């Protein structure tokens, strides 16, 4: 299926309903690219008129700001804001909670005001409106343990959309021992995913501890809503020798359920 850029829409003298902000992970990381592909399939099957920025999309600036480089953050943010102003962007969807938080809560201080939704919020709306469905039987007999990402959950108080989606699946849904406002980080936030590990008084890695918690629920699948959480959960599952437990983004589960 053809994914159009905003520049291509401009040549057709029309505008899409929504900009899909892909993000660095979704663009360049092979694992996260599968999440990008899943969301594209969902948007396509829902009949949503969308576009991406393509080569005109720069990093949102989240890692720079979390890592302490405010100058780089503002430089990236202002460049993105000018690009989106040129295309009259109003609504944005992204599969990355880090991009979601930055675009929604931090760009306004620099003049970038948008209606930003996380992909789980959009998917829930599409399900509620009947624009997409979940085939029965796809996950029959399976147990799915859900992990709250920090930037969607504790930072933006979005807990229900992912759960409402999962509850529409014919699977047993399990909560992690620490969930919602008491959720536990995967270990990638705050630009940590881009840094060497720091010395600690404990030998247990953050993502390994989180995976241990999720594995206590004896799941067949660990579900998350963030490309960095997926990366860290994958690493933790392999470290625990539990490769039979699959780690998926919620968008990937929708695509699997419908065999798209």
């Amino acid at each position: 299926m053809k994914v159009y850029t905003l520049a291509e829409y401009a040549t057709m003298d029309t505008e899409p309903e929504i900009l899909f902000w892909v993000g660095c992970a979704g663009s360049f990381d092979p694992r996260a690219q599968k999440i990008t592909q899943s969301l594209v399939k969902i948007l396509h099957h829902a009949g949503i008129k969308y576009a991406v920025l393509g080569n005109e999309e720069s990093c949102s600036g989240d890692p720079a700001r979390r890592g302490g480089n405010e100058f780089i953050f503002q430089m990236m943010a202002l460049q993105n804001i000018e690009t989106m102003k040129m295309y009259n962007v109003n609504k944005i969807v992204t599969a990355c909670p880090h991009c979601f938080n930055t675009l929604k809560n931090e760009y306004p201080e620099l003049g970038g005001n948008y209606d930003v939704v996380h992909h789980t919020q959009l998917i829930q709306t599409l399900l509620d409106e009947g624009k997409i469905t979940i085939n029965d039987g796809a996950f029959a007999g399976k147990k799915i343990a859900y992990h709250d990402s920090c930037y969607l959950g504790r930072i933006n108080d979005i807990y229900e959309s992912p759960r409402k989606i999962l509850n529409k699946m014919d699977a047993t849904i399990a909560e992690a021992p620490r969930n919602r406002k008491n959720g536990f980080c995967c270990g990638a936030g705050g630009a940590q995913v881009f840094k060497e590990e720091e010395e600690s008084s404990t030998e247990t890695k953050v993502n390994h501890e989180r995976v241990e918690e999720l594995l206590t629920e004896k799941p067949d699948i660990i579900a998350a809503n963030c490309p960095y959480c997926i990366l860290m959960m994958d690493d933790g599952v392999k470290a625990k020798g539990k490769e039979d437990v699959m780690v998926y983004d919620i968008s990937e589960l929708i695509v699997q359920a419908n065999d798209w």
Side-chain angles (χ1 to χ4, degrees), residues 9-213:
Y9 264 99
T11 64
M12 295 183 283
D13 198 28
T14 184
E15 294 181 355
E17 298 172 45
I18 192 166
L19 167 66
F20 172 19
W21 183 276
V22 181
C24 298
S27 297
F28 301 111
D29 179 72
R31 177 64 186 87
Q33 286 173 352
K34 296 178 181 178
I35 301 170
T36 299
Q37 292 163 0
S38 292
L39 184 51
V40 163
K41 289 177 182 177
I42 292 169
L43 293 170
H44 174 76
H45 282 276
I48 303 296
K49 192 177 175 184
Y50 70 96
V52 298
L53 278 167
N55 292 332
E56 292 186 279
E57 181 185 298
S58 177
C59 177
S60 69
D62 166 80
R65 175 169 266 192
R66 305 301 161 240
N69 196 324
E70 182 66 15
F71 173 77
I72 293 294
F73 163 72
Q74 292 199 22
M75 183 175 70
M76 289 178 167
L78 288 170
Q79 177 183 329
N80 287 323
I81 289 168
E82 285 304 309
T83 300
M84 289 190 283
K85 184 186 297 183
M86 181 172 64
Y87 291 115
N88 196 32
V89 171
N90 294 305
K91 187 168 184 178
I92 303 172
V93 62
T94 179
C96 177
H98 298 260
C99 294
F100 169 79
N101 179 69
T102 302
L103 295 167
K104 181 180 177 64
N105 299 323
E106 299 180 346
Y107 272 33
E109 66 189 11
L110 297 172
N113 295 282
Y114 315 102
D115 176 9
V116 187
V117 296
H118 186 254
H119 75 321
T120 56
Q121 294 176 300
L122 180 61
I123 291 169
Q124 184 207 333
T125 298
L126 295 176
L127 285 168
D128 290 346
E129 293 177 349
K131 292 183 178 179
I132 59 171
T133 58
I134 298 175
N135 290 339
D136 292 334
F139 300 105
K142 300 292 186 181
K143 189 173 188 180
I144 302 175
Y146 176 62
H147 164 75
D148 284 295
S149 68
C150 295
Y151 276 77
L152 191 67
R154 290 184 294 169
I155 293 175
N156 282 285
D157 292 318
I158 298 172
Y159 301 105
E160 298 310 316
S161 291
R163 287 172 170 82
K164 286 180 179 179
I165 296 168
L166 291 172
N167 284 326
K168 290 180 182 290
M169 299 177 183
D170 52 355
T172 301
I173 310 303
E175 292 281 3
R178 285 182 278 188
N179 61 73
R180 297 178 185 265
K181 289 187 177 180
N182 294 318
F184 190 65
C185 181
C186 74
Q192 291 296 321
V193 72
F194 300 106
K195 296 167 55 182
E196 294 294 330
E197 288 184 304
E198 299 165 8
E199 292 187 11
S200 170
S201 59
T202 175
E203 294 182 0
T204 304
K205 296 181 179 180
V206 173
N207 62 321
H208 291 185
E209 181 173 340
R210 182 53 165 171
V211 166
E212 282 181 5
E213 288 188 349

